[in-house]
Amino acid sequence: MMHIAASPRGARLLGAGAVLGLLQACSTTPTPDPASTPQIERELLSHSLHIETGEPLVMDTPHRSIRVTESRLFSIRQYDAQGTLQDEHRQYQTLPWADRTLTIQLGELAVTRQTDSDGQLRLNLLDEDIVPVDFDQLRVIELDAQATPEVRAEAMLLIDRDLRSVLHEASELIYDNLEEDEVSQWVDRIERLRQLGLKEEASQLENMLILLTTGDPQLQGDFVQALDNATTPQE
């Protein structure tokens, strides 16, 4: 019996034929028909925002934590492969209104604040861009969140009469003519803020003055010493 050895060229041709056959088999494999698989439809029914201003409605301190949430209501429909409705239900989704801009109206002045990743922001009525407000006349703070022209939320806060007086005095203590004061007057400002119950602002002013006097070690040393003397009980 004779044995005929396949030539290298023939082997390559046989290999190419096998690959071609495999490709043809793959090309004839049926792909899923979208019409034959279950389908899920989701329809937006409503979209709204909500501003949580906390309690009480009347602000008696300069600070308030604000939270904004975004809610959506969906209709969910699930169909089988034949297009028959299998299930229909509603899905309610509430998420933080994260990293979005809230408009705050204070009398004739409008400022904006950005929510954080939790949809929260901290309102501080002694922020530098707010203090130009005439606090003696400020009665209402209006908050406005707008996702689209059709989707928005509004809320308001009232200002306590005693707080208006505190804000007026505190804004002058923090911002008015610091560079013209003596060291002892700086200390008086800080102590007065503490007396008004504004410990956070007192600490911020103290730190700011220490930073501002960095270029004058003598002045900074005098200020730090005056602070120590003011906080040391007198015998």
Side-chain angles (χ1 to χ4, degrees):
M1 180 181 294
M2 295 179 62
H3 296 279
I4 302 175
S7 67
R9 180 180 179 184
R12 287 197 298 270
L13 290 175
L14 288 173
V19 172
L20 179 60
L22 179 61
L23 291 175
Q24 290 174 339
C26 291
S27 66
T28 58
T29 301
T31 57
D33 182 0
S36 66
T37 58
Q39 300 291 319
I40 296 178
E41 293 181 356
R42 188 170 76 159
E43 178 186 0
L44 179 64
L45 300 179
S46 66
H47 182 194
S48 62
L49 298 176
H50 178 64
I51 303 174
E52 301 172 21
T53 58
E55 296 292 341
L57 175 63
V58 180
M59 291 184 67
D60 54 9
T61 71
H63 315 119
R64 180 62 65 93
S65 179
I66 307 295
R67 184 169 184 263
V68 186
T69 54
E70 184 173 22
S71 299
R72 290 183 173 91
L73 178 62
F74 296 95
S75 174
I76 309 296
R77 300 183 185 91
Q78 183 173 355
Y79 298 88
D80 63 15
Q82 286 73 43
T84 303
L85 181 64
Q86 284 183 321
D87 177 65
E88 182 175 10
H89 64 276
R90 293 190 173 189
Q91 181 184 72
Y92 193 72
Q93 180 187 71
T94 299
L95 297 171
W97 202 52
D99 304 315
R100 301 295 295 271
T101 300
L102 188 76
T103 301
I104 304 171
Q105 190 74 39
L106 307 103
E108 297 182 357
L109 176 69
V111 298
T112 59
R113 292 292 184 270
Q114 192 89 358
T115 61
D116 62 16
S117 59
D118 295 320
Q120 295 185 338
L121 63 88
R122 188 169 185 264
L123 174 62
N124 183 354
L125 297 181
L126 288 170
D127 281 344
E128 190 170 1
D129 60 343
I130 291 180
V131 293
V133 167
D134 183 356
F135 289 117
D136 292 334
Q137 301 300 320
L138 184 63
R139 301 290 187 275
V140 178
I141 298 174
E142 299 173 85
L143 309 170
D144 183 16
Q146 184 169 348
T148 69
E150 297 79 23
V151 179
R152 66 188 304 170
E154 297 177 340
M156 68 170 55
L157 288 164
L158 305 179
I159 307 298
D160 181 79
R161 180 170 57 184
D162 292 338
L163 177 59
R164 292 199 298 269
S165 176
V166 168
L167 292 170
H168 181 83
E169 181 179 359
S171 62
E172 293 180 347
L173 291 170
I174 296 169
Y175 297 106
D176 282 5
N177 301 320
L178 283 172
E179 65 280 359
E180 298 178 6
D181 277 2
E182 300 293 333
V183 166
S184 61
Q185 292 173 302
W186 289 349
V187 175
D188 290 342
R189 289 179 186 238
I190 293 169
E191 290 304 307
R192 179 55 182 160
L193 286 171
R194 290 197 174 100
Q195 292 170 6
L196 291 172
L198 303 176
K199 295 181 180 180
E200 178 181 329
E201 282 70 24
S203 178
Q204 289 175 347
L205 179 58
E206 178 180 326
N207 292 333
M208 182 181 70
L209 288 169
I210 290 175
L211 181 63
L212 290 176
T213 55
T214 300
D216 189 336
Q218 179 62 49
L219 180 60
Q220 187 180 74
D222 292 344
F223 175 54
V224 172
Q225 184 61 53
L227 284 172
D228 290 341
N229 293 340
T231 56
T232 301
Q234 300 296 321
E235 296 183 359

